[in-house]
Amino acid sequence: MLSDRLLDAASLARLQKILRRASPWEALGAFLVIALVGVVVDYIRMLRLRAKMPPGPLPWPIVGNTFMLPEHKPWLWFEQLSKKYQNPLITVWIGRNPTVWINDAWSASELLDKRAGIYSSRPRMVVFAELGAGQSNLVNMYTMSPEQRDRWRVHRKLMHYAVGSQSVRKYRTLQNDESRVVALDLLSKPDDYVKHFERYATSVVSIIGFGRRVESSDDPIITEVIAVMHLAADLNVPGKSFPMLMETFPWLARFPNAIAPWKHGLGRRRGMSFFYALAHEANEKPGHEDAFVKYLFQKRHETNLHDDEIASLSGNLFGAGSDTSSSTLITFVLACCAFPETLVPAWEELDRVVGPHRSPHFDDEPNLPYVKAFVKEVLRWRSVAIIGGQPHAPTQDDVYKGYLIPKGTWVQGNVWAIHHNEREFPDPDRFNPRRFLPGDPDSRPFPGERGYMTFGWGRRVCSGQVLAEQGTWITVARLLWGFRIEKKRRPDGSVVEVDINNYTNGLNMRPRPFECSITPRSEEIRRTIEREGKQALQDLEQYRGETKYRMSTFYQRNTRAMDLYGDGKA
């Protein structure tokens, strides 16, 4: 690209003639001069563009700010830069390409919500898209051209059938039953709360997607799928080490995997045919005609869906729903342990409205304002998608407060900074549900009716937002009603402290393992949990089923998948 700028065809021909006559050392010297001129010209381009864009640290030639990125939790660094430059938008260069980070709720709303028609596309993503989930995946799709926008709308419409705001109410019964099973499991094995949450979240989306529940926390499909989601989350955080360094040097992605250990096995599209196999298997089984995968196969010819698209649509529902919802519930437990004073008003409200002889249900929500505020604070305090999911990209040059945001630029919302801004959330690290109660002294104006930006923005907002909010509310309400969730006590009476900042480093972050105590609040409540949990298991019996597939062995068994997608080794 640089040679096209520097040399026309005639000049290039003259240069080739000179190089043929020159000695090897003279040719090398000429090449180095040309390369140096190319670097200088490109750096001048970067600096000129930088002068028009939001402020940020001075980029270096070729590598930009890549090697300034911190090893862990770069969103904290972006927040610090925003404060340093006293600007809600900052520009950080990943190689020769700028990324605009939005660190303020009002700016995020203005750009990504109100200007959604411009900011609904995705930029080029080497690691996550080209080498990972693929560009035909709804999450990664470009919408730069009319044809691309039309294809994206097809996928979005199909996903709305499964988890759109008009569809999710029909899932309340199964979410209610599955959360009752969680409460029952916590009675017998409270120390395995993480496994119970993962089983619950995976089972809900498995019923919606495939018509079968996940009965046991030992089911390999839970651990395998969540492990893949964690890997994907780790791969989508800006960094200065491989494989994310390929975003700085995209040409490194062209090397074959056999001689490119820095690719970490990417490029084989590990999970796609596995999810297609799950979908095809579920479609062939009788019953549960409202399962999402059966709808996809019904619409296959009408919408011209190919195998990869069926795999990605069903896989996105399965993978993302299981990881994010379970991580949110783990954060809920951490908040209960770290801020026990916030539980007392919840218990008082639940005892007054619900009582001990039944657990909360969805009809109680209007009468439980503090519990509703509690759930909102869980979603705000330590949001799972800490950098707002995948980056947006404007489909045309845009100007915001005098700053240029060029077409195709990575534009990312820093959810951490947005949710920890003292202006909207005083003392932001303190877990305080009352900040979501109207009229409370800690309540502040915030764009949008929800009061948080956990699920993204505009036309790229998380498709499963309403489903996740619905499931989180009923489960949190039930666990607050049923249990004392406290710091663990050792045999000598000392307390095992928890660290509210000890989170993973991925795009979807969750607390690292910690000990806690989970006990029923009363004997009456224990009996209610047992009764309702057993009834829920009976109600869920209709979704019993098994799959013959395991991700860990699928590619060894399926020769066709190996031929198409590689051996699946990381």
Side-chain angles (χ1 to χ4, degrees), residues 1-12 14-15 31 33-42 44:
M1 186 170 66
L2 288 176
S3 62
D4 293 339
R5 296 197 194 108
L6 297 174
L7 301 170
D8 57 22
S11 299
L12 187 60
R14 288 194 296 271
L15 177 63
F31 174 78
V33 169
I34 293 169
L36 179 61
V37 171
V39 169
V40 171
V41 171
D42 187 63
I44 291 172

Side-chain angles (χ1 to χ4, degrees), residues 451-492:
Y452 52 80
M453 294 181 167
T454 307
F455 296 93
W457 302 270
R459 298 176 186 175
R460 292 287 185 165
V461 70
C462 175
S463 300
Q465 175 173 359
V466 180
L467 179 72
E469 290 171 331
Q470 187 171 277
T472 301
W473 186 87
I474 192 62
T475 306
V476 168
R478 178 163 284 114
L479 297 184
L480 285 172
W481 163 85
F483 296 94
R484 292 184 179 275
I485 303 174
E486 305 167 306
K487 295 177 183 177
K488 188 95 170 178
R489 287 193 176 274
R490 301 185 181 93
D492 63 3

